[in-house]
Amino acid sequence: MKKIEITLSDKQYLTIKNEIENCSKSNIDEATLTGFRFIVSEYFPGISSLEFEMHKKIDLGDVNWQIVDSE
């Protein structure tokens, strides 16, 4: 099996964590269901950025990612 691994800074992690918590609370209060998505864009080899979108789109900036063989 293969995995996609994205390395986050502490700030990026906290931004995602806080947004999920806040939006999930809002979803419960409003009785709605929403998901979220991650968008990794690679502009040139080694130059990538990550966006997180739940209720709004957040540009998280530069990230490192790789496809890993988990066997």
Side-chain angles (χ1 to χ4, degrees), residues 6-62:
I6 301 169
T7 304
L8 302 172
S9 69
D10 290 339
K11 182 179 177 183
Q12 290 167 323
Y13 169 77
L14 289 174
T15 299
I16 293 168
K17 182 178 179 248
N18 290 336
E19 186 69 9
I20 290 172
E21 288 174 1
N22 292 336
C23 291
S24 295
K25 184 179 182 307
S26 176
N27 286 347
I28 291 169
D29 293 344
E30 297 175 15
T32 59
L33 297 173
T34 62
F36 58 84
R37 67 180 174 167
F38 293 96
I39 303 167
V40 177
S41 300
E42 180 152 312
Y43 305 106
F44 298 101
I47 300 176
S48 303
S49 71
L50 178 67
E51 290 180 346
F52 174 80
E53 185 174 359
M54 193 163 182
H55 289 179
K56 62 182 177 186
K57 191 180 292 187
I58 300 172
D59 182 0
L60 295 166
D62 297 337

